[in-house]
Amino acid sequence: MMNFIQSVITICALLVTLPIPSECALWNSDEGENVKVTAEIDLYTALPNQPLKGTITITHDVKAEVNENSFKLEKSPLKAEFVKNVKISPQDPLTISIYSFEIPGQPQGLYVLPEISVEVGGKVYSSIPTSYEVRKAISPPLPLPNNKGPPSSVSLTLKAAVDGPSPLYPGQRAWMVYRYYFNASVELVTEKLPLLEATGFQKIGDKRIKNYSEGGLNVLEVAQEIQAISPGEFKFPPSIVEGYAYQENELKQRTYLKPKLKSEAPGITITVVPFPESGKPASFNGAVGQFTLTTSLLTSATATVDEAIKLAVDISGADLATVKLPELNNLKSFFRLSDLPPIGEVKEGTKRFVVELSPLSTTVKAIPSIEFSYFDPIGNRYSTLHSPPIPITVKSDKEKVPEKQTPALIRPIPRQEQAAAEPAPIQIEGNYLLKMSDLQPLPFGTWSSFWIIPGGILVLAAQFFLKQEMLKKKQTATAKRSEDLFNEALQAPASSAAFFQLLNQAFLLRLTETGHLAAPNGLPEDRSRDDIVGEVRAFLDRIEEKRFTGRGEVSHETIIPEAKELFRKISSKKELP
Amino acid sequence: MVRMWIWILLLFPMCEAASLEKNIPTVLQEAYDSYAQGEVAKTLSERKEAFNRALNLYTEMEKKYDAEYSSGRLYYDIANTYFQLEEYSWAVLYYYRAQKLMPREEKLKHNLTTTQAKLGIEPEPDLAAVFHLLLFFHSYLSLPERLQLFLLVSLCSIAALSAYLWRPQRWLKITAVVFLIATTLLVLSLAYTRYLSPIEGVLIQSTNLYRGAGEQYAPVSEQPTLSGNKLTIVEVLSDGKWLKVITPLGELGYIPYAAVRII
């Protein structure tokens, strides 16, 4: 018995970890966080007036910690015990944390487990309320032989099936069913269940899980209801489960038995055939099966113009999932229909649509016949049903309706009088008289203004380089000044004072420009220098000596070649930075 | 002769365009006059006819001109017209569109509040005072106005930097820094608007909020979400047919795309 319960819990826990979207949870996906919280009551232990045990499963990033003290059932604190962590895969950062909890027992009946909230990674997440049933204890499955260990031959068999009509028509529903047959506790390591993914079909609701015994074996049945969407042939590959049988001692330590158990169910092909085009009535809207149609009034058959009359449209039959409200276009000429279309309610094999109709004028005498068409897959033909017209009496608002007196302060105005009625006062400020400029973007009020950034960078860069160029030119102009002076000196008469003065200034400026002197104020007094400054000093001193002592000739022919040579020597000695 | 025809063919589109441009003020005047007629109409049918005529003309202008960066008055006028025709959810949509371009307009806020009251919707609360004060320009100025201000402040920054480049003086440096800070704040505001601000829409028809992207899923609550409500759009699914949204009550769910219009 214990082994059986443990195997059910193991298989159920592993199934929950399958990467299949579940209807029982609300994904809180917000920029990368995938946290999913589900909670359910263990149906097997849901016995009357006994504490109810449940499981909370939290799928979360391994970095987002679960605050175990933050569990709440609705708004009351809930004590939950950690069971285990299961990593989805070594590469995946997601992990599944499983907790168990207990709530007080309840009498037999159907209940709703409210939302359970928990803090994960600093944020609060909640599960969706789910229903559960507390019922009398069912007969436990057949105990395993010995009840202390597994039977001599351990078996695990997987069977796959599709319960429902075949072939399917679009809109029809069926169940994709897996049945696990086993006679020992098994821990599954591989599960490939393509039917539960139901590619190409619409899943309806959550998976249904049942446990029972059959032929001495325990059976776990997992089923998913699906709805066919479009015609085609849908091939599902074989389904595979693998696992190891195990034994558990009193300390809950498991001993795994070899060999590895494996079971494969063959692939399944589901065919969805299209509705035949020939003979398809215009009013056909997807109903498949065999049905009957009745209509009845839920309110009085006497009403005033614009007063709502409720009409019940009842369609009875087997496959009500494919039934939709018939088209009511023929009523629109006589009635105003409500904005929100009615959603049908299914009860005891009948789907009821309650339609609100408001007659448009007093000339309306009956609710016309409603046409409903369906496709019968057994007879492979379409059928059309018509409801009988329902006579009604429509009075204007002046005639009192004895059965239905509405104590309203505002009487509805008949439509034909509405047009001539005085309008209500204006409640809002008036319009602007628009101009062309109101239709066009504001000047520079578009994203093209951002071109100013590269433009501005270019302008600043251009200015920067321009400034650099100007500085260079200024320095170059300054360099020419010494040359200008020198050329001027050469033009002056050889023995004139201007010649010597210009020559002196040219040399001093040149030495300054080339960095030999700090300023063109004069040569240093030190005559022992043997650098270019010394050479210039010696040259100028010789000229001065010849001028003032009269020894030696002072003429262009004698001075200028040496002056030129010396001037050139200064230029080549040290360049301007 | 051939040359004459060539000239005619060249000039004709220009004349056509010029005449269309000339007609627009006439159309705008006609729309305004129709609206004014509706306000003074003596009967309901006259009122509806006048407002419908005004609405047709305004929506024609909306299709022809992209008013997304305009003054917002076209959207305001369309919203008023929808209000007069009692299409309140469409009026709310256009009031929100106009509010993006005319954030300081008091009569727009009044009209929007009046419309929301008609739909039984609570008006949105104002932003927290401190936040509003610190980043006043973000909510006080519309996007086109902020873009204009950004251009102006950038030009001032460039001028100040250029002046500092030629005359490196302290006061020019301070001026350039101040303008650069202002430019940076505006860039951040514009970047937030472009990349980080949530996409919002208005429900134009009441619908259930579903737990999944399909009508077969259970609704989040028994009451449908009513038209006129502003929603935050989180995701688009199923080839654009379903939207994942957050309602003003903070509920997360899915609604069909056709029930929403983006602001």
Side-chain angles (χ1 to χ4, degrees):
Chain A
M1 171 70 168
M2 283 307 295
N3 286 338
F4 170 71
I5 292 169
Q6 282 157 6
S7 63
V8 165
I9 290 173
T10 306
I11 291 175
C12 287
L14 281 168
L15 279 172
V16 166
T17 66
L18 283 174
I20 298 164
S22 167
E23 288 296 297
C24 284
L26 183 65
W27 278 99
N28 289 294
S29 62
D30 186 13
E31 297 186 351
E33 290 180 14
N34 283 326
V35 178
K36 183 177 169 181
V37 180
T38 61
E40 55 189 4
I41 293 291
D42 182 358
L43 296 175
Y44 216 107
T45 60
L47 299 171
N49 302 313
Q50 293 202 14
L52 299 167
K53 292 181 184 166
T55 307
I56 303 170
T57 309
I58 306 169
T59 306
H60 61 102
D61 194 292
V62 67
K63 291 179 198 166
E65 274 189 34
V66 176
N67 182 354
E68 293 182 3
N69 297 322
S70 67
F71 285 99
K72 280 190 184 161
L73 181 66
E74 279 190 301
K75 292 189 180 162
S76 310
L78 176 70
K79 188 165 177 262
E81 276 182 26
F82 175 74
V83 174
K84 62 177 174 180
N85 270 334
V86 179
K87 201 102 173 46
I88 291 179
S89 76
Q91 292 80 29
D92 202 318
L94 291 178
T95 188
I96 298 166
S97 301
I98 300 173
Y99 293 83
S100 63
F101 66 95
E102 210 172 84
I103 55 175
Q106 287 156 322
Q108 186 175 337
L110 197 60
Y111 300 90
V112 172
L113 177 67
E115 64 173 37
I116 292 179
S117 61
V118 60
E119 195 180 301
V120 181
K123 285 187 187 174
V124 176
Y125 299 91
S126 304
S127 65
I128 291 175
T130 54
S131 60
Y132 62 93
E133 188 179 357
V134 176
R135 51 187 170 181
K136 284 184 205 169
I138 55 174
S139 311
L142 292 173
L144 294 172
N146 303 331
N147 215 18
K148 284 186 181 174
S152 53
S153 72
V154 175
S155 72
L156 171 67
T157 309
L158 177 71
K159 289 188 181 170
V162 178
D163 290 348
S166 178
L168 285 169
Y169 286 92
Q172 277 195 304
R173 293 184 179 179
W175 286 89
M176 309 281 221
V177 183
Y178 282 107
R179 292 186 183 94
Y180 299 71
Y181 295 85
F182 55 96
N183 61 356
S185 302
V186 178
E187 186 166 318
L188 295 173
V189 296
T190 303
E191 273 186 296
K192 288 180 186 162
L193 308 173
L195 287 186
L196 293 181
E197 289 174 28
T199 310
F201 293 85
Q202 188 80 51
K203 284 194 229 182
I204 307 296
D206 201 6
K207 293 187 290 293
R208 182 190 71 194
I209 298 174
K210 269 200 282 195
N211 301 285
Y212 53 91
S213 63
E214 188 181 287
L217 292 173
N218 305 310
V219 184
L220 172 69
E221 184 180 286
V222 180
Q224 170 71 58
E225 191 177 19
I226 52 105
Q227 181 171 316
I229 303 170
S230 52
E233 206 168 77
F234 300 88
K235 290 185 181 166
F236 293 92
S239 311
I240 299 169
V241 291
E242 292 176 346
Y244 292 94
Y246 66 86
Q247 270 180 284
E248 237 179 44
N249 60 17
E250 293 76 13
L251 299 174
K252 306 277 185 205
Q253 290 164 335
R254 290 186 182 178
T255 309
Y256 293 96
L257 307 174
K258 287 192 177 174
K260 187 170 160 183
L261 304 172
K262 180 178 175 176
S263 177
E264 184 174 315
I268 288 178
T269 301
I270 301 177
T271 306
V272 180
V273 295
F275 292 110
E277 285 303 318
S278 84
K280 188 192 279 189
S283 58
F284 175 71
N285 60 1
V288 180
Q290 293 177 330
F291 304 98
T292 57
L293 170 71
T294 51
T295 52
S296 57
L297 279 181
L298 297 178
T299 53
S300 168
T302 305
T304 56
V305 172
D306 266 351
E307 186 184 338
I309 297 172
K310 287 191 182 173
L311 174 73
V313 177
D314 293 325
I315 299 171
S316 304
D319 194 357
L320 293 170
T322 58
V323 169
K324 298 188 200 71
L325 178 67
E327 283 295 327
L328 303 176
N329 289 330
N330 60 327
L331 270 66
K332 288 181 182 172
S333 311
F334 308 102
F335 298 91
R336 182 165 51 89
L337 306 180
S338 65
D339 293 333
L340 282 173
I343 299 168
E345 244 181 67
V346 176
K347 199 172 175 182
E348 292 170 3
T350 298
K351 194 164 188 176
R352 168 170 281 197
F353 299 92
V354 177
V355 185
E356 279 191 17
L357 311 165
S358 302
L360 294 175
S361 73
T362 53
T363 58
V364 177
K365 298 294 178 209
I367 297 174
S369 167
I370 291 174
E371 186 175 299
F372 170 68
S373 298
Y374 62 88
F375 179 75
D376 179 0
I378 298 170
N380 200 32
R381 59 187 175 85
Y382 292 97
S383 294
T384 301
L385 305 174
H386 293 93
S387 68
I390 300 176
I392 58 170
T393 307
V394 182
K395 302 186 178 204
S396 69
D397 68 332
K398 288 177 189 169
E399 294 174 87
K400 287 204 187 286
V401 179
E403 290 158 345
K404 197 176 165 64
Q405 288 212 348
T406 311
L409 290 173
I410 300 170
R411 289 175 154 276
I413 302 170
R415 205 160 266 275
Q416 57 267 32
E417 292 178 14
Q418 272 185 8
E422 201 176 306
I426 297 292
Q427 294 175 294
I428 57 169
E429 305 272 357
N431 269 13
Y432 288 104
L433 172 57
L434 299 176
K435 293 171 250 182
M436 237 358 247
S437 56
D438 290 318
L439 302 178
Q440 284 156 347
L442 296 184
F444 304 111
T446 60
W447 293 101
S448 55
S449 298
F450 266 78
W451 283 109
I452 191 66
I453 295 179
I457 293 171
L458 276 172
V459 163
L460 288 170
Q463 288 182 85
F464 178 77
F465 287 119
L466 179 66
K467 190 176 176 186
Q468 295 291 352
E469 277 301 310
M470 283 174 68
L471 275 173
K472 268 191 197 171
K473 278 188 185 171
K474 192 175 172 185
Q475 280 154 359
T476 313
T478 311
K480 282 189 182 166
R481 282 177 54 200
S482 60
E483 284 176 23
D484 294 334
L485 283 172
F486 187 74
N487 291 332
E488 238 178 273
L490 296 180
Q491 302 300 322
S495 44
S496 64
F499 171 74
F500 295 108
Q501 198 178 357
L502 284 169
L503 200 65
N504 201 42
Q505 281 176 1
F507 275 110
L508 283 175
L509 193 57
R510 192 67 181 159
L511 286 170
T512 309
E513 286 165 8
T514 52
H516 293 93
L517 290 178
N521 299 329
L523 289 168
E525 293 297 325
D526 181 11
R527 284 183 165 75
S528 64
R529 286 176 72 159
D530 59 355
D531 58 359
I532 191 65
V533 175
E535 280 183 52
V536 169
R537 184 165 196 96
F539 172 69
L540 293 173
D541 284 347
R542 278 204 302 281
I543 295 174
E544 289 293 307
E545 194 184 340
K546 283 179 184 174
R547 274 177 74 198
F548 292 110
T549 59
R551 286 187 223 155
E553 197 182 336
V554 180
S555 67
H556 273 174
E557 287 76 24
T558 55
I559 295 172
I560 286 168
E562 198 181 342
K564 279 184 181 176
E565 179 60 29
L566 191 57
F567 198 79
R568 188 193 58 76
K569 208 170 169 187
I570 298 171
S571 302
S572 64
K573 279 284 182 186
K574 197 167 179 180
E575 293 299 327
L576 282 167
Chain B
M1 186 68 173
V2 172
R3 271 192 216 171
M4 184 184 79
W5 278 109
I6 290 170
W7 276 111
I8 290 169
L9 285 169
L10 281 174
L11 285 172
F12 180 75
M14 286 162 57
C15 292
E16 182 72 20
S19 88
L20 274 174
E21 284 290 327
K22 230 165 90 171
N23 278 340
I24 299 300
T26 315
V27 170
L28 294 174
Q29 184 69 50
E30 194 184 330
Y32 180 78
D33 291 340
S34 297
Y35 184 89
Q37 276 172 23
E39 283 182 314
V40 299
K42 296 280 188 291
T43 62
L44 271 176
S45 63
E46 274 179 34
R47 171 183 273 195
K48 285 211 164 176
E49 197 187 318
F51 284 134
N52 273 313
R53 199 166 54 241
L55 183 64
N56 276 338
L57 292 168
Y58 284 132
T59 47
E60 253 181 58
M61 291 297 108
E62 192 200 0
K63 280 178 205 160
K64 211 173 191 157
Y65 294 92
D66 181 11
E68 200 183 336
Y69 298 98
S70 67
S71 64
R73 290 182 173 188
L74 175 63
Y75 290 142
Y76 176 79
D77 285 358
I78 293 175
N80 278 354
T81 318
Y82 271 123
F83 179 93
Q84 303 293 11
L85 291 167
E86 297 176 5
E87 295 284 348
Y88 298 122
S89 45
W90 284 96
V92 167
L93 170 69
Y94 276 93
Y95 278 130
Y96 277 125
R97 285 182 177 171
Q99 197 174 46
K100 275 170 76 169
L101 299 170
M102 305 159 69
R104 302 177 296 282
E105 190 64 46
E106 286 303 322
K107 58 183 185 178
L108 189 153
K109 286 180 197 167
H110 167 260
N111 290 359
L112 175 59
T113 308
T114 307
T115 315
Q116 286 172 326
K118 292 275 186 195
L119 291 168
I121 295 171
E122 293 284 332
E124 282 180 314
D126 285 335
L127 290 171
V130 172
F131 180 80
H132 200 70
L133 190 65
L134 287 174
L135 299 173
F136 68 96
F137 57 89
H138 186 77
S139 49
Y140 192 71
L141 301 173
S142 66
L143 174 62
E145 285 169 342
R146 277 184 280 144
L147 285 165
Q148 286 180 320
L149 185 62
F150 160 75
L151 182 70
L152 178 66
V153 170
S154 302
L155 285 171
C156 291
S157 303
I158 293 167
L161 284 168
S162 300
Y164 179 69
L165 192 67
W166 295 105
R167 291 271 183 273
Q169 294 180 13
R170 187 180 156 78
W171 70 272
L172 280 173
K173 186 176 175 184
I174 293 171
T175 309
V177 166
V178 166
F179 277 122
L180 277 172
I181 290 171
T183 307
T184 308
L185 284 174
L186 281 165
V187 166
L188 289 174
S189 166
L190 291 166
Y192 175 84
T193 301
R194 176 118 185 170
Y195 297 109
L196 296 177
S197 59
I199 301 171
E200 293 175 317
V202 171
L203 261 183
I204 53 155
Q205 67 187 62
S206 303
T207 177
N208 280 321
L209 187 69
Y210 295 94
R211 290 184 189 276
E215 286 178 5
Q216 73 278 10
Y217 292 97
V220 171
S221 71
E222 284 183 12
Q223 298 295 327
T225 309
L226 298 176
S227 60
N229 273 298
K230 187 160 89 166
L231 309 169
T232 304
I233 295 163
V234 177
E235 204 178 330
V236 180
L237 301 111
S238 300
D239 301 325
K241 289 182 186 159
W242 285 83
L243 299 175
K244 188 175 181 183
V245 300
I246 301 174
T247 66
L249 296 174
E251 291 169 322
L252 180 71
Y254 298 83
I255 54 168
Y257 179 78
V260 173
R261 293 292 182 274
I262 308 291
I263 294 176

